Amino acid sequence: MTNSIRKIKFHPPQSKQSFTIHLDANFCTVESETNELVVASVEKSADRLLLKITSLESQPNLHQMLHVALDFLFGQNADLRSATIYADQKIEISRAAFYQLPSPWHFAQQQNKPETLIITNERQHPKRPILTAGTHYRRFVSSINKTISFRTVDIEKDLAIFHNWHNQPRVYDLWDLNKPIDELRTYLEKALADKHLIPMIAEADGAPIGYFEIYWAAEDRLAPYYDYEAYDRGFHFLIGERRFLGRDNTSAVVTSVMHMIFLDDERTKRIVVEPRADNKKVLLYAELVPGWKFIKEFDFPHKRAALLMAKRDDFFSAGAP
């Protein structure tokens, strides 16, 4: 087993408490704030994880604690493709199936909502969920030893740092939003009111590091340029904090936002992005993060763009996140 990280504390978005995970030799221990405990012996056979529960008490958080343990162990061992859990019964689960379960990373408030079709800009599409405030997703990423989370923008809390980010030359060269702070307030107000968009702050260990706009592609300006499907989603992003720049950090946060998007609605089978065709840094990350494929170049009114697409099956079958 990989032992680069031996202890972490993690607070799943769906839980009212956090958990501490210890990895000691071949044992993994998950402990809750109320002293509930799950201890499991851990063995690795080829690409399979064997998890044998050695201390098992009747407790309300057992299911979630096992999820936290599996996430930690899969994260520490990227080559593992499946797990077998021996407890009251034998349970087998693949890595790809496990990471498509909403818990313990996503609030999953939008799962399995009935479909109602409406029309926007002469395009028919499903009625989208009402935007909710707060944290949508949180995950400990072993590769960078940081917890990545995404929450809806809070204008009063985030406006100053949002303004600071957009007045950095490396950012406004691509976003063209080096505007006075009052204009950026208006920009965020419009983003929050836009029913096809979720403006989000990305955080690392609770500190803001970047801005993401996640959108439904069918209602977006991108829709006329490709054969969109009803639940396709896309995103724009910027890393505002220089300390978080770099291949490993950016790959981790992009992988995490893709994971969040796929968990947000199980009907989303594809994610699309349309960076500027000459944005070599973004195109490089498309090669590093699982699932992305180049589709074509095309002309927006304001830029020459590259259309990239990631399919759900490709993302998870490649071992993401």
Side-chain angles (χ1 to χ4, degrees), residues 189-209:
E189 288 172 346
K190 289 181 178 179
L192 286 167
D194 189 334
K195 295 180 180 179
H196 98 293
L197 193 70
I198 304 179
M200 286 189 161
I201 296 295
E203 296 180 328
D205 293 336
I209 51 93

Side-chain angles (χ1 to χ4, degrees), residues 30-44:
V30 183
E31 185 175 4
S32 75
E33 292 176 346
T34 54
N35 295 320
E36 296 157 333
L37 196 68
V38 168
V39 179
S41 64
V42 182
E43 299 177 17
K44 183 181 174 185

Side-chain angles (χ1 to χ4, degrees), residues 7-28:
K7 178 180 177 181
I8 66 165
K9 191 171 185 178
F10 181 70
H11 189 172
Q14 293 178 336
S15 176
K16 294 182 180 179
Q17 61 178 321
S18 61
F19 302 95
T20 301
I21 305 104
H22 306 261
L23 185 62
D24 183 11
N26 290 321
F27 286 89
C28 181

Side-chain angles (χ1 to χ4, degrees), residues 26 50 115 130 136 144 146 187 317:
N26 290 321
L50 303 177
E115 183 177 80
I130 297 173
H136 294 237
I144 60 172
K146 294 180 176 69
Y187 178 91
S317 64

Side-chain angles (χ1 to χ4, degrees), residues 1-198:
M1 299 296 292
T2 300
N3 291 320
S4 59
I5 300 173
R6 303 184 64 85
K7 178 180 177 181
I8 66 165
K9 191 171 185 178
F10 181 70
H11 189 172
Q14 293 178 336
S15 176
K16 294 182 180 179
Q17 61 178 321
S18 61
F19 302 95
T20 301
I21 305 104
H22 306 261
L23 185 62
D24 183 11
N26 290 321
F27 286 89
C28 181
T29 304
V30 183
E31 185 175 4
S32 75
E33 292 176 346
T34 54
N35 295 320
E36 296 157 333
L37 196 68
V38 168
V39 179
S41 64
V42 182
E43 299 177 17
K44 183 181 174 185
S45 175
D47 62 352
R48 178 177 293 273
L49 181 71
L50 303 177
L51 201 65
K52 298 180 181 179
I53 307 301
T54 58
S55 176
L56 183 61
E57 301 175 7
S58 177
Q59 53 188 273
N61 293 305
L62 174 62
H63 186 260
Q64 192 168 56
M65 293 170 80
L66 287 174
H67 272 191
V68 169
L70 273 177
D71 182 36
F72 176 74
L73 292 167
F74 274 136
Q76 287 283 281
N77 297 272
D79 57 328
L80 294 176
R81 288 295 176 266
S82 63
T84 301
I85 304 170
Y86 295 94
D88 295 333
Q89 58 182 337
K90 179 181 176 181
I91 303 170
E92 296 191 13
I93 188 167
S94 70
R95 184 189 192 103
F98 174 71
Y99 278 110
Q100 292 182 72
L101 301 172
S103 178
W105 314 279
H106 196 286
F107 276 112
Q109 295 172 330
Q110 316 299 349
Q111 293 290 304
N112 299 319
K113 298 294 184 181
E115 183 177 80
T116 301
L117 296 178
I118 61 175
I119 295 176
T120 301
N121 296 329
E122 300 181 348
R123 293 196 293 272
Q124 188 180 63
H125 62 87
K127 185 178 180 180
R128 306 306 184 185
I130 297 173
L131 178 61
T132 56
T135 300
H136 294 237
Y137 174 96
R138 189 184 295 118
R139 183 173 73 95
F140 176 77
V141 183
S142 292
S143 63
I144 60 172
N145 193 21
K146 294 180 176 69
T147 296
I148 300 297
S149 57
F150 295 91
R151 59 173 174 80
T152 305
V153 162
D154 180 328
I155 294 179
E156 299 308 318
K157 180 178 180 179
D158 301 318
L159 182 59
I161 196 168
F162 186 75
H163 176 258
N164 174 272
W165 291 341
H166 279 288
N167 281 273
Q168 298 176 23
R170 64 180 181 84
V171 172
Y172 67 65
D173 180 55
L174 295 172
W175 280 74
D176 196 28
L177 281 177
N178 51 323
K179 310 290 186 182
I181 195 166
D182 288 342
E183 290 188 33
L184 291 183
R185 176 187 289 275
T186 300
Y187 178 91
L188 290 178
E189 288 172 346
K190 289 181 178 179
L192 286 167
D194 189 334
K195 295 180 180 179
H196 98 293
L197 193 70
I198 304 179

